């Protein structure tokens, strides 16, 4: 609508409340729902115009671009690509020209890069119009940005509007799962109320009397659009076609041609684009545009022209003849294809116009399916390509190549059902044995992912028969079979035997080729898979030397598959290095991958590397740094979803970290929750074992029943998994946990069943010696117990396992105190001081509790682990005045997890046991250091 904004005062005030954060700082969103003509777009524009924000971004969905990935977000992404922080990387990703061997562009990389760029901007407003027509990936991007901003406590306002639709309802529901109720508003626009309708009519036509204005409002049924049109055009019926006809009267043929072009294009067009499509000089385009603008049919701004309202576009499109519509669709398709190059958005738009123009689509579908950005298509685009292949096949065209590309895309997108069906179809119709074998192998991988084990084996048998003498392909086939035996069938000995045999063949193939460099691409893929399964099968049987050798060879071989594959192989090596007790090298590899994955925005890889890096840092006592990495990686996993190996590992890490930092109840509860939720018996064993271990360490005999119950659950999982490694880890956990709760005989039996060489985990032999010491202490042999515990402590110290060394020292101090009270007290005081310095709150508390049982006063003013940073001082003040963690997160624009980490650091540094003690320390600090003022709440 033109002129001053009239009406919708309540809705405008609600949007203003969202923008101004009347409910507090942070992220807030409003969604406006309304039928066509109710004034959604004008309401959004008015609210945005009144907003006092530094950075504004606009998005809009268009009907013609519903299948073009990130089309609605194009303007936002281009603008973010020009930001100072992260913009260059985002721009590079959008232009994505992958290096040889690199995979197709992962949508998660675009989402995370956009988030990184947006996070660098203060006070952001995003306005998203016509959500009902937006492509799915643009909608996903918005959800991702809102979630990340909310978790980080950033100031982001999100306003959206659309017609009542399933798509808009789903979007609103998804935001409702992210934002608290107070931060999300849904406004439903109905007809303008009588007073507002009359005021709008009189604003548009000042000479109109109240009675006439009321009649206009009634005829328009309260629609702002039709109130304006009834006054402007004087039409008698509320029918958009009549409106267009009335307005177009007397216009030139050029104006009519431009109107038809805009209607069929169904999106704004640049004036330069119109000139190319119509073959007109610029002044002719300008004149035709002016005619449409003067008649209120179109609006022109910033070198583009579009319809003044979508109701007008729909009406204009309905008046274009079928012949003209087809011709325009074909012209648009040809122009877009010529302009597209590798641009997936333009190719997708061209495909829409080809289909509407009745043109053949097979060659264009091939280009789209082979695009480096093909993964951006998502499931909707995948289904479209499938339909096109089916339609072309029905028309008698050869579609096998497209079928194969669609099948590969199915696998890349993790749609295993479609991958199985599509690869099976390719295998059925191809006549080339090698192609059939590869399709059957890919189908077997999909069947394995679906846990259809018998079908997977059958497909592998058929693949092997077709592979003939293709050595690389045979390696991949047999490696896949070994993987099924190891992870799905719990047939570890058979899986390991096959893994060894496959690896031996791979090494011989590499030797004959003169090294990795001499292998062909297909052979290299087979060698990599063989080395991977060799490492995994060695890990299950506890053959740590063999695991490490295979992992090192895997890193060397993966270089030929591209940098992403090479980085992923270094994560596998980090795992092997931990098992081999080479923590320094583990840290170096995990750190290198963590840094590079974050720099290049490889979210899944960063999450995986973050786990190993935090684990290494935790083992060597660098708790604050470990917690920072763990929380960042956990937040990343929360945004990107349940990635393979990501969710359960990060949940384990953050639970243990919470325990170590003094929030042991929270950590133990989380371990129990994750054990209940985890469907895979392998990680479920770990959750049960960790829960038993930490309950036993912290609560001792008081937790006996809980510990025994957790270990019983773990044993049931180990029986189901049939994994020797898992069983070995369980026995280790049993030996220590049962000893701590006083079950001496059971602990001794578990210890006797442990592998004598301690091969299952890096610190296994340390745990065995410590468990033996605890059992000896229970049996009354205090001197023997002290000897075993000292051996465990020395081994931990020699191996660089700082955390294990300190835990063992707590037990050693207790035992020594029974032999020599002063010696035991000295050990325990040393542990308390070291634990305080390293920030291991749980250890410090346990050491202090043991000292108090010996009659030693443990609390002293001023005990701490270092000076507070300026940010920590600000946060400490807020804790001291009684603010909760969520309130602090809002006040300081931090995520709640980050606040938790800071509070733990502050407690450790100031030697405070809880928030009450912290408040006292803050007052002491301010009094002791008058030159340093404690910062108050942010203004």
């Amino acid at each position: 609508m033109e002129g001053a904004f009239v009406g919708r005062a309540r809705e405008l005030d609600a949007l203003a409340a969202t923008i101004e954060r009347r409910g507090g700082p942070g992220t807030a969103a409003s969604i406006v729902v309304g039928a066509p003509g109710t004034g959604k777009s004008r309401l959004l524009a008015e609210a945005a115009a009144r907003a006092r924000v530094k950075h504004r971004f606009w998005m809009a969905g268009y009907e013609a671009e519903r299948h073009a990935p990130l089309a609605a977000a194009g303007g936002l992404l281009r603008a973010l690509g020009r930001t100072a922080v992260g913009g260059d990387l985002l721009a590079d990703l959008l232009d994505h020209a992958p290096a040889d061997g690199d995979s197709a562009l992962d949508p998660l990389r675009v989402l995370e890069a956009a988030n990184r760029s947006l996070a660098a901007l203060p006070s952001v407003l995003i306005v998203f119009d016509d959500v009902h027509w937006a492509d799915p990936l643009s909608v996903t991007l918005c959800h991702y940005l809102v979630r990340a901003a909310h978790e980080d406590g950033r100031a982001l306002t999100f306003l959206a509007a659309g017609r009542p639709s399933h798509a808009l309802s789903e979007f609103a529901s998804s935001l409702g799962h992210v934002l608290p109720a107070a931060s999300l508003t849904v406004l439903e626009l109905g007809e303008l109320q009588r007073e507002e309708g009359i005021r709008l009519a009189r604003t548009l036509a000042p000479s109109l009397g109240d009675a006439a204005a009321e009649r206009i409002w009634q005829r328009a049924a309260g629609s702002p659009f039709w109130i304006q049109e009834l006054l402007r055009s004087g039409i008698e019926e509320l029918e958009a076609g009549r409106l267009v006809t009335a307005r177009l009267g007397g216009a030139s043929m050029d104006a009519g041609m431009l109107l038809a072009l805009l209607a069929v294009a169904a999106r704004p067009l640049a004036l330069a684009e119109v000139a190319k499509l119509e073959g007109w000089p610029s002044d002719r385009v300008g004149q035709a545009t002016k005619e449409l603008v003067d008649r209120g049919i179109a609006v022109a701004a910033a070198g583009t022209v579009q319809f003044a309202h979508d109701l007008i576009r729909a009406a204009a499109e309905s008046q274009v003849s079928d012949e003209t519509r087809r011709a325009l669709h074909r012209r648009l398709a040809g122009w877009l294809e010529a302009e597209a190059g590798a641009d997936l958005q333009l190719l997708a738009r061209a495909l829409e116009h080809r289909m509407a123009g009745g043109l053949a689509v097979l060659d264009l579908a091939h280009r789209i399916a082979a695009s480096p950005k093909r993964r951006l298509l998502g499931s909707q685009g995948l289904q479209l390509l499938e339909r096109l292949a089916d339609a072309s096949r029905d028309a008698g065209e050869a579609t096998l190549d497209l079928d194969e590309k669609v099948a590969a895309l199915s696998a890349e997108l993790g749609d295993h059902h479609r991958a199985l069906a599509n690869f099976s179809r390719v295998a059925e119709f191809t006549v080339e044995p090698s192609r059939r074998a590869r399709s059957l192998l890919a189908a077997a991988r999909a069947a394995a992912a679906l846990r259809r084990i018998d079908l997977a084996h059958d497909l592998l048998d058929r693949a092997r028969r077709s592979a003939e003498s293709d050595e690389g392909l045979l390696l991949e086939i047999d490696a896949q079979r070994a993987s099924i035996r190891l992870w799905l069938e719990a047939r570890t000995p058979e899986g390991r035997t096959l893994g060894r045999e496959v690896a031996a063949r791979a090494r011989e193939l590499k030797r004959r080729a003169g090294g990795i460099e001499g292998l062909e691409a297909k052979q290299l893929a087979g060698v990599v898979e063989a080395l991977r399964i060799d490492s995994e099968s060695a890990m299950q049987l506890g053959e740590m030397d063999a695991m490490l050798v295979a992992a090192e060879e895997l890193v060397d071989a993966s270089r030929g598959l591209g940098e992403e594959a090479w980085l992923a192989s270094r994560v596998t090596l980090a795992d092997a290095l931990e098992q081999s007790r080479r923590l320094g090298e583990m840290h170096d590899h995990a750190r290198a991958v963590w840094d590079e994955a974050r720099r290049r925005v490889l979210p899944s890889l960063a999450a995986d590397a973050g786990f190993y890096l935090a684990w290494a840092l935790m083992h060597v006592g660098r708790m604050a740094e470990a917690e920072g990495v763990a929380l960042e990686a956990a937040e990343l996993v929360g945004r990107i979803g349940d990635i393979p190996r990501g969710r359960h590992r990060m949940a384990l890490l953050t639970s243990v970290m919470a325990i170590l930092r003094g929030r042991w109840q929270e950590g133990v509860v989380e371990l129990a929750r994750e054990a209940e939720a985890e469907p895979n018996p392998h990680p479920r064993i770990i959750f049960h074992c960790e829960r038993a271990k930490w309950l036993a360490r912290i609560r001792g005999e008081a937790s006996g029943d809980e510990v025994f119950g957790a270990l019983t659950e773990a044993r049931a999982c180990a029986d189901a998994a049939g994994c020797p490694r898992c069983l070995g880890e369980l026995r280790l956990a049993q030996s220590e946990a049962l000893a701590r709760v006083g079950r001496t005989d059971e602990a001794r039996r578990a210890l006797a069943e442990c592998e004598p060489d301690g091969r299952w985990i890096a610190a296994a032999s340390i745990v065995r010696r410590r468990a033996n010491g605890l059992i000896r202490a229970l049996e009354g042999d205090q001197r023997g117990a002290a000897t075993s515990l000292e051996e465990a402590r020395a081994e931990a110290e020699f191996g660089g396992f700082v955390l294990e060394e300190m835990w063992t020292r707590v037990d050693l101090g207790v035992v020594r105190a029974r032999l020599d009270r002063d010696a035991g007290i000295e050990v325990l005081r040393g542990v308390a001081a070291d634990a305080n310095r390293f920030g291991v709150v749980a250890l410090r508390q346990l050491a202090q509790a043991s000292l108090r049982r010996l009659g030693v006063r443990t609390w002293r003013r001023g005990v701490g682990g270092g000076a507070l940073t300026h940010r920590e001082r600000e946060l400490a003040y807020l804790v001291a005045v009684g603010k909760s963690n969520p309130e602090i997160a809002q006040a300081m624009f931090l995520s709640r997890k980050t606040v938790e980490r800071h509070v733990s650091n502050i407690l450790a540094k100031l030697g405070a046991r809880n928030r009450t003690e912290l408040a006292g320390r803050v007052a002491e600090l301010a009094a002791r250091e008058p030159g340093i003022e404690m910062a108050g709440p942010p203004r």
Side-chain angles (χ1 to χ4, degrees):
M1 292 184 298
E2 300 171 354
F5 186 81
V6 177
R8 303 294 188 201
R10 181 184 64 83
E11 292 88 348
L12 187 58
D13 186 63
L15 294 182
T18 297
I19 295 170
E20 296 168 9
R21 311 295 198 295
R22 293 179 189 170
T27 303
S30 285
I31 297 179
V32 179
V33 186
T38 51
K40 302 180 297 297
S41 299
R42 181 63 196 275
L43 179 63
L44 286 189
E46 186 67 22
R50 298 183 183 188
R52 293 188 298 274
V53 294
K54 188 171 183 180
H55 300 281
R56 305 166 194 243
F57 300 97
W58 290 84
M59 301 173 58
Y62 293 101
E63 188 175 10
E65 297 181 339
R66 287 174 295 176
H67 299 301
L70 294 175
L76 168 67
L77 293 173
R78 284 190 295 274
L80 290 176
R82 295 189 292 268
T83 60
V85 178
D88 290 345
L89 180 56
L90 176 59
D92 288 345
L93 285 177
L94 296 174
D95 292 337
H96 192 63
D100 290 343
D102 276 1
S103 60
L105 178 60
D106 185 347
L108 284 173
R109 296 186 68 190
V110 178
L111 304 188
E112 185 61 23
N115 175 58
R116 185 184 298 183
S117 297
L118 194 71
L121 304 176
S123 184
V124 172
L125 170 65
I126 297 177
V127 181
F128 191 176
D129 200 8
D130 288 335
V131 175
H132 55 281
W133 276 333
D135 61 282
L137 190 54
S138 289
V139 174
T140 299
L141 171 66
C142 291
H143 180 274
Y144 192 94
L145 295 177
V146 169
R147 173 174 181 160
H150 172 63
E151 290 180 346
D152 290 346
R154 287 189 270 117
L156 169 66
T157 303
F158 183 79
L159 306 181
R163 298 178 185 179
S165 63
H166 178 68
L168 188 61
S169 296
E170 277 196 336
F171 183 50
S173 177
S174 73
L175 292 184
H177 286 99
V178 170
L179 297 174
S183 298
L184 176 63
T185 303
V186 178
L187 303 173
E188 295 187 8
L189 296 190
E191 64 181 39
L192 284 178
Q193 296 301 306
R194 175 179 174 277
E195 293 76 11
E196 291 182 324
I198 291 173
R199 188 162 69 254
L200 174 60
R202 296 204 61 185
T203 299
L204 296 171
S207 62
L208 208 62
D210 283 349
E214 182 174 3
R215 285 194 297 273
I216 292 291
W217 166 73
Q218 290 173 335
R219 286 181 57 203
S223 165
F225 173 81
W226 285 112
I227 288 175
Q228 174 175 295
E229 297 311 321
L230 287 171
L231 290 169
R232 175 168 184 159
S233 303
I235 58 175
E236 294 299 322
E237 298 181 36
L238 303 185
E239 201 276 306
R242 292 178 180 274
L243 184 151
V244 172
T245 301
R247 288 193 179 183
L248 203 59
S252 68
M253 185 179 294
D254 281 357
M257 294 171 67
L258 177 55
L259 179 134
L261 178 62
L262 287 171
V264 173
R267 66 179 304 278
L269 289 174
L271 299 182
E273 293 172 342
V274 174
K276 287 183 180 180
L277 286 162
E278 296 288 4
W280 294 348
S282 58
D283 57 345
R284 187 174 174 183
V285 174
Q287 180 58 38
T289 300
K290 184 175 183 301
E291 289 188 61
L292 295 184
V293 170
D294 289 346
R295 286 167 168 76
I297 294 175
V299 293
T304 64
V305 58
Q306 66 184 89
F307 280 101
H309 197 282
D310 194 63
L311 285 172
I312 298 176
R313 187 205 66 79
E317 200 273 339
S318 68
Q319 295 182 10
V320 178
S321 69
D322 291 343
E323 182 180 356
T324 300
R325 185 182 298 109
R326 280 194 300 273
L328 287 171
H329 276 303
R330 292 175 179 182
R331 191 187 307 169
L332 285 161
W335 167 66
L336 287 168
E337 287 179 59
E339 296 285 325
D343 188 316
L344 186 66
Q345 292 179 2
L346 294 183
L347 291 174
R349 286 169 52 195
L351 183 63
E352 291 281 339
H353 287 299
R354 268 207 188 195
M355 290 188 294
L359 296 172
V361 297
L362 191 59
D363 60 331
L364 185 54
H366 273 289
R367 285 179 65 184
I368 291 172
S371 166
K373 296 183 183 179
R374 59 187 176 273
R375 293 179 64 181
L376 302 183
L377 290 168
S379 59
Q380 184 186 70
L382 174 63
Q383 292 171 41
L384 175 60
L385 291 176
E386 280 185 333
R387 291 197 299 271
L388 294 177
D390 290 340
S392 299
R393 203 165 22 251
D394 293 342
E397 297 182 73
T399 64
L400 196 60
D401 287 344
L402 180 58
D403 289 333
E404 195 169 45
K405 290 186 178 74
V406 170
L409 180 57
S410 303
E412 290 174 1
L413 293 175
D415 191 335
H416 303 301
H417 289 285
R418 280 196 159 81
L420 176 59
N422 289 327
F423 276 118
S424 297
R425 180 187 296 116
V426 173
E428 179 182 355
F429 289 104
T430 188
V431 296
E432 182 185 343
S434 177
R435 191 177 193 181
R436 181 186 305 114
R438 290 200 172 276
S439 297
L440 289 167
L441 169 60
R445 286 173 173 153
L450 295 169
R451 305 186 76 83
R452 297 179 62 178
I453 298 172
D454 291 341
L455 176 59
H457 278 306
D458 177 64
L459 291 165
L460 290 172
D461 289 340
R462 292 169 57 195
R464 216 175 193 290
R465 289 194 294 270
S466 295
E468 299 176 340
S469 60
D470 188 330
E471 291 182 278
L473 185 51
L474 288 169
L475 288 174
E476 290 189 71
I477 292 168
D478 291 342
Q480 180 61 40
R481 195 185 301 278
S483 178
I484 293 171
R485 288 177 178 170
L486 288 173
W487 300 113
L488 298 182
E489 295 182 298
R491 294 161 63 183
T492 297
E494 295 172 65
R496 177 57 180 147
T497 298
L498 183 53
R500 285 196 194 99
E501 189 267 329
V502 171
R505 284 159 42 201
R507 291 177 179 118
E508 173 59 21
L509 178 59
K510 183 175 70 169
R511 185 194 64 77
R512 293 201 313 267
I516 291 296
E517 297 78 10
L519 293 171
E520 298 176 2
K522 292 181 180 179
Q523 293 174 323
L524 179 60
V527 168
V528 165
E529 289 306 309
L531 293 172
R532 191 189 317 281
I533 203 63
D534 187 31
S535 179
E536 290 179 3
S537 61
M539 179 267 293
Q540 275 205 10
L541 276 178
E543 298 173 2
M544 295 309 161
D545 290 342
M547 178 186 179
L548 181 58
V549 168
E552 289 173 335
E553 291 180 291
L554 178 64
V555 170
D556 183 49
S558 295
R559 290 180 185 274
L561 298 181
E563 189 173 7
E564 291 176 35
W566 177 65
L567 289 171
S569 71
R570 293 185 69 184
V571 174
T572 302
L573 179 56
D575 187 12
L577 287 165
E578 184 202 6
Q579 312 304 317
S580 300
R581 305 176 67 171
R582 290 158 63 173
L583 291 182
E585 293 173 76
M586 173 200 180
H587 167 274
D588 292 345
H589 280 277
R591 170 72 71 183
V593 179
W594 168 252
D595 290 342
E596 186 64 12
R598 290 158 76 219
R599 186 187 70 80
R600 294 187 57 200
V601 192
L602 298 166
S604 299
L605 191 54
D608 219 2
F611 167 82
Y612 286 103
L613 177 58
W615 202 257
L617 291 167
M618 182 178 71
H619 271 309
V620 299
R622 293 160 64 178
M623 291 302 301
E625 190 177 357
E627 190 173 30
V629 172
L631 289 175
E632 183 178 342
E635 289 175 358
L636 184 59
V637 169
R639 289 198 295 273
I640 66 180
D642 192 7
I643 63 170
R645 302 188 297 170
R647 188 186 67 80
H648 82 262
R649 282 185 171 179
M650 292 312 306
L652 172 67
L653 181 61
T654 54
S655 298
V656 171
M657 201 72 69
I659 293 169
L660 291 172
R661 300 294 268 173
R663 306 186 306 277
W664 72 267
Q665 295 98 331
E666 171 192 325
V668 168
V669 167
E670 190 62 24
L671 288 170
R673 185 183 297 120
E674 289 296 331
E676 182 71 24
E678 176 57 55
N680 189 327
H682 292 275
R684 198 158 66 240
I685 295 167
I686 300 174
F687 284 118
H688 286 307
C689 286
E690 288 292 318
R691 178 166 169 260
K693 178 176 76 176
W694 291 107
L695 280 169
R697 281 181 172 180
I698 292 170
R699 298 186 59 215
E701 292 187 19
S703 64
D705 291 342
E706 286 184 85
V707 169
F708 191 75
L711 292 174
T712 301
E713 293 281 357
R715 182 57 192 247
C717 294
D719 292 340
C723 172
R725 176 190 174 89
C726 290
L727 184 58
E729 290 185 350
L730 169 59
R731 286 169 175 163
L732 272 174
Q734 284 177 316
S735 65
E736 178 176 337
L738 291 172
R740 292 188 184 280
V741 297
R743 296 181 181 246
T744 312
D745 294 340
E746 293 160 287
R748 178 65 75 184
R749 282 196 299 272
L751 183 61
E753 292 174 346
C754 288
E755 291 288 331
D757 57 353
R759 63 186 179 175
W760 298 110
I761 59 174
S765 59
I766 301 170
V767 175
R768 289 181 67 252
R769 292 179 189 275
R770 185 167 60 223
N772 185 51
L774 294 171
I775 294 168
R776 282 185 158 191
L778 287 171
E779 294 171 339
D781 180 9
Q782 303 304 325
R783 293 192 181 278
T787 299
S788 291
L789 290 169
E790 175 56 36
E791 290 173 350
R793 189 210 64 76
E795 183 178 348
E797 182 180 43
F798 179 79
F801 287 87
V802 173
L803 200 59
E804 293 291 343
E805 193 272 344
M806 286 194 292
W807 278 112
T808 308
R809 245 194 303 158
V810 172
D811 296 322
L812 181 61
V814 172
V815 169
R816 278 193 177 168
R818 294 168 187 163
L819 300 169
D820 183 335
R821 181 176 179 275
D822 290 342
I825 290 172
E826 183 180 355
V827 171
L828 290 169
R829 278 178 170 164
V831 177
D834 288 346
N836 191 62
R837 179 163 55 90
F838 284 115
V840 190
V841 178
L843 251 173
R844 188 195 71 215
Q845 291 172 339
L846 284 175
Q848 290 175 336
S850 297
L851 284 168
R852 286 193 293 274
R853 282 193 291 271
L854 293 171
V856 179
R857 181 174 180 269
T858 60
W859 181 78
R860 290 200 322 247
R861 293 181 183 273
V863 174
L868 297 184
T869 66
H870 178 72
R871 173 55 63 91
E872 286 172 340
R873 287 174 180 275
E874 289 182 322
L875 200 145
Y877 176 88
L878 293 175
V879 172
V881 297
K883 297 292 185 182
S884 67
N885 284 359
E887 289 172 330
I888 295 170
Q890 279 198 332
M892 299 185 71
F893 300 105
L894 298 171
S895 72
R896 278 170 284 187
K897 290 180 180 177
T898 300
V899 170
E900 289 172 4
R901 175 165 59 88
H902 279 309
V903 171
S904 293
N905 289 343
I906 294 166
L907 288 169
K909 284 185 175 183
L910 296 183
R913 290 173 294 183
N914 50 47
R915 297 168 86 96
T916 302
E917 284 190 8
L918 176 59
R921 298 288 200 282
V922 169
E924 293 172 12
L925 184 62
R928 191 169 65 247
E929 303 179 48
I932 302 176
E933 294 183 4
M934 295 303 294
R939 291 186 177 88

